[in-house]
């Protein structure tokens, strides 16, 4: 905002400079032509009456030739103004010639001027030589004061601009800082807000409207935290209420004599418990109870792979160097496990490797399954979305594994991306910042 105002002031001052300099240039021409025309008209009247023109202080002279040497710098604007003014005064001039010459110290005009002004006139001032040809081919010539450059005016205008900037911009910068600093703190608090964490409310500072906004944000934060607390209590109650009858069913099926029916019932109850765990984990992900800790990521992934190997699954892990990372180990294990389970369900085997990059770490879970169409890569991360339309648990579950994995990884500051492998299969790649 301050830069915009400064640019607007500069643009306005530039226009003001242009208009002022044009007006000053026109005023200088008028100041030169008015006395010249008056003296020339007076001289013409005296000559017409048979008298010589007034030669007081050699300001006006009647000469046989023009005193302006050829090749000099002419002032065409002054010549045009003189011609127009003389014609309006009834004088029909012939040629009009002008030239600006520098002042010298022996100039009689400087005898009664202070030393400082003499020096300034010698530096910037001069004399304008005006020569007007008469019908008899003689010339009326006179010398007039003339400023050769406007450097003094330009510097005064620059000083005025700087003063204007100081008077206007400094208060605006102060006001802008007074408003923007509390807003920056508010924006930072909004970006770093984590529901449930104990933190200090944003200080209510700044103008009245900004303070009202900060007050509303502090109140909103408390309401969000209270709502999430209530949601956690509700989810805990739901989980307890559902697990209790499931546990009772698990006990009752022991009395079923048919081994096949008993095993199917036990598998169904286990599936219901697993689904309930996934749903509750996904719902509670924004408020994890596990704090971030320093862990060896390579060892964590190796431990997950070992769990699958103990169950007889075909999972291969490429050994990797130690990688110290700060994350929530329980949740990260859950994310890696979900990706490996997907690979085993669709391909029967999985390859897992951890790669250290300059600014990130990659965990790749590869398989040789049927893969996924590229246009459906994002769809499979939506909760309860399955490419296989049946709800058979054995062919892919209920569609929460990838959604939960991506939520866990994004909560850790990373992301998951899918890509098809050359030769068939899929790669699920977790990228975590180091």
């Amino acid at each position: 905002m301050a830069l915009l105002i400064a640019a607007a002031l500069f643009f306005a001052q530039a226009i003001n400079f242009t208009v002022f300099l044009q007006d000053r240039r026109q005023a200088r021409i008028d100041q030169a032509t008015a006395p010249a025309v008056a003296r020339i008209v007076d001289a013409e009247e005296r000559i017409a009456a048979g008298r010589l023109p007034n030669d007081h202080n050699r300001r006006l002279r009647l000469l046989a030739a023009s005193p302006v040497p050829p090749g000099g710098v002419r002032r065409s604007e002054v010549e045009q103004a003189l011609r127009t003014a003389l014609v309006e005064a009834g004088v029909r001039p012939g040629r009009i010639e002008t030239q600006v010459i520098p002042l010298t110290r022996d100039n009689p005009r400087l005898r009664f001027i202070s030393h400082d002004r003499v020096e300034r006139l010698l530096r910037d001032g001069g004399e304008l030589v005006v020569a007007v040809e008469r019908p008899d081919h003689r010339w009326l010539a006179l010398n007039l004061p003339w400023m050769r450059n406007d450097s003094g005016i330009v510097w005064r205008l620059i000083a005025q601009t700087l003063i204007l900037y100081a008077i206007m911009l400094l208060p605006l910068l102060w006001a802008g800082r007074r408003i923007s600093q509390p807003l920056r703190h508010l924006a930072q608090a909004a970006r770093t807000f984590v529901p449930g964490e104990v933190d200090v409310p944003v200080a209510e500072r700044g103008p009245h409207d900004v303070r009202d906004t900060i007050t509303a944000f502090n109140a909103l934060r408390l309401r969000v935290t209270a709502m999430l607390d209530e949601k956690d209590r509700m989810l805990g109650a739901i989980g307890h209420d559902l697990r209790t009858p499931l546990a009772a069913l698990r006990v009752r099926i022991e009395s079923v004599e048919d081994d096949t029916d008993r095993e199917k019932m036990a598998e169904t109850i286990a599936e219901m418990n697993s689904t309930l765990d996934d749903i509750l984990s996904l719902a509670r992900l924004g408020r994890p109870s596990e704090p971030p800790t320093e862990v060896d990521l390579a060892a964590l992934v190796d431990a997950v792979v070992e769990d699958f190997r103990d169950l007889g699954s075909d999972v291969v892990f490429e050994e990797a160097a130690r990688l110290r990372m700060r994350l929530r180990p329980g949740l990260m294990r859950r994310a890696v496990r979900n990706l490996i389970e997907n690979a085993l369900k669709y391909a029967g085997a999985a390859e897992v490797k951890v790669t250290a990059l300059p600014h990130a770490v990659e965990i790749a879970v590869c398989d040789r399954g049927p893969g996924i169409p590229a246009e459906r890569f994002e769809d499979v991360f939506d909760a309860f979305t399955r490419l296989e339309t049946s709800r058979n648990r054995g062919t892919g579950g209920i569609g929460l594994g990838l959604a939960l994995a991506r939520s866990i990884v994004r909560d850790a500051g990373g992301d998951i991306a899918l890509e098809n492998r050359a030769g068939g299969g899929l790669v699920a790649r977790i990228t975590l910042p180091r």
Side-chain angles (χ1 to χ4, degrees):
M1 180 61 73
L3 290 176
L4 183 61
I5 295 173
L9 282 176
F10 179 81
F11 184 69
Q13 282 295 94
I15 296 175
N16 183 42
F17 282 5
T18 303
V19 173
F20 180 82
L21 290 175
Q22 288 177 349
D23 290 345
R24 180 174 175 80
R25 189 175 295 112
Q26 186 60 45
R28 186 167 57 182
I29 294 172
D30 293 342
Q31 289 172 359
T33 56
V37 169
R39 291 172 184 168
I40 291 171
V41 170
D42 181 68
E44 288 290 345
E45 290 176 353
R46 289 175 178 272
I47 292 173
R51 295 180 293 167
L52 292 176
N54 186 14
D55 192 29
H56 179 65
N57 285 338
R58 296 175 54 84
R59 291 183 180 176
L60 188 139
R61 307 174 302 281
L62 184 60
L63 305 174
S66 172
V68 177
V73 179
R74 306 275 292 272
R75 306 296 302 193
S76 58
E77 69 277 12
V78 177
E79 295 172 4
Q80 183 61 39
L82 281 171
R83 183 175 299 278
T84 301
L86 288 172
V87 170
E88 290 176 354
V91 176
R92 297 292 179 179
R95 289 178 294 168
I96 299 177
E97 297 180 352
T98 59
Q99 186 181 29
V100 177
I101 60 174
L103 286 174
T104 58
R105 290 188 180 274
D106 59 352
N107 193 298
R109 297 176 185 273
L110 304 179
R111 283 182 292 183
F112 305 105
I113 299 177
S114 64
H115 176 74
D116 292 340
R117 191 176 179 193
V118 167
E119 294 299 326
R120 185 170 68 85
L121 289 174
L122 290 174
R123 183 179 66 252
D124 300 327
E127 282 192 316
L128 177 66
V129 179
V130 177
V132 179
E133 186 182 24
R134 298 188 69 254
D136 60 2
H137 301 296
R138 291 187 295 175
W139 293 76
L140 288 172
L142 69 160
N143 290 18
L144 300 169
W146 185 268
M147 294 300 292
R148 287 181 296 167
N149 62 67
D150 295 313
S151 60
I153 297 297
V154 171
W155 283 111
R156 282 199 293 272
L157 290 175
I158 292 174
Q160 291 176 8
T161 302
L162 293 177
I163 293 172
L164 181 63
Y165 271 34
I167 292 174
M168 295 189 65
L169 279 184
L170 291 180
L172 285 173
L173 289 173
W174 175 82
R177 182 176 179 81
R178 185 168 179 263
I179 294 173
S180 64
Q181 192 170 23
L183 288 177
R184 285 197 299 269
H185 292 162
L186 176 62
Q188 181 64 22
R191 284 191 292 267
T192 58
F193 172 57
V194 178
E197 289 190 357
V198 179
D199 55 350
V200 180
V202 182
E204 298 177 9
R205 296 183 299 167
H208 178 72
D209 292 343
V210 176
R211 291 200 304 271
D212 285 347
T213 303
I214 295 174
T215 301
F217 172 77
N218 289 333
L220 175 65
R221 184 175 55 181
L222 294 176
R223 290 198 301 272
V224 169
T225 301
M227 290 171 61
L228 291 175
D229 289 339
E230 180 63 25
K231 184 200 73 170
D232 285 349
R233 287 192 294 269
M234 179 186 68
L235 290 174
I238 291 173
H240 179 269
D241 291 345
L242 289 178
R243 282 196 176 94
T244 299
L246 288 174
L249 286 174
R250 185 71 182 83
V251 173
R252 289 186 180 183
I253 64 173
E254 296 299 329
S255 62
V256 177
E257 295 181 357
D258 189 289
D259 293 341
T260 303
D261 289 343
R262 186 170 61 252
E263 289 177 2
K264 289 182 178 179
M265 292 178 184
E267 288 176 1
T268 301
I269 293 173
E271 290 175 5
M272 294 176 66
N273 275 315
S274 177
T275 301
L276 181 61
D277 286 342
D278 286 344
I279 293 173
L280 293 179
S281 296
L282 189 61
R284 289 172 173 166
L285 192 59
R287 292 163 58 82
S289 58
E290 181 184 29
T293 56
E294 289 283 342
V295 298
D296 180 358
L297 185 62
L300 182 147
V301 175
D302 191 17
V304 175
V305 171
E306 284 298 324
D307 291 340
F308 282 97
R309 285 175 177 167
D310 292 341
L311 296 175
S313 300
D314 184 6
V315 183
V316 177
F317 176 67
E318 293 185 11
E319 295 296 331
R322 293 172 60 86
L323 290 169
R324 302 297 297 177
M325 300 281 291
R326 184 172 180 81
L327 44 80
R328 294 182 172 91
L331 290 177
M332 191 55 60
R333 275 193 293 267
R334 183 72 174 271
V336 176
R337 185 166 62 248
N338 285 0
L339 296 183
I340 296 175
E341 284 178 352
N342 265 12
L344 293 175
K345 286 174 184 175
Y346 291 102
E351 304 166 20
V352 183
K353 56 183 176 181
V354 178
T355 306
L357 302 175
H359 303 290
V361 174
E362 284 188 354
I363 305 172
V365 179
C366 312
D367 64 54
R368 287 296 180 183
I372 297 175
E375 64 273 11
R376 300 296 305 274
F377 281 164
E378 289 300 315
D379 295 342
V380 296
F381 286 106
D382 294 335
F384 305 104
T385 297
R386 290 181 51 182
L387 299 184
E388 199 274 323
T389 56
S390 75
R391 288 294 158 181
N392 185 350
R393 181 83 177 181
T395 60
I398 63 171
L400 284 178
L402 287 177
L404 182 58
R406 171 173 273 190
S407 298
I408 291 172
V409 173
R410 286 185 171 177
D411 182 67
D415 205 352
I416 296 181
L418 301 179
E419 60 183 74
N420 288 315
R421 297 180 72 184
L426 188 73
V427 178
R429 198 181 309 277
I430 295 175
T431 304
L432 296 171
R434 300 190 69 172

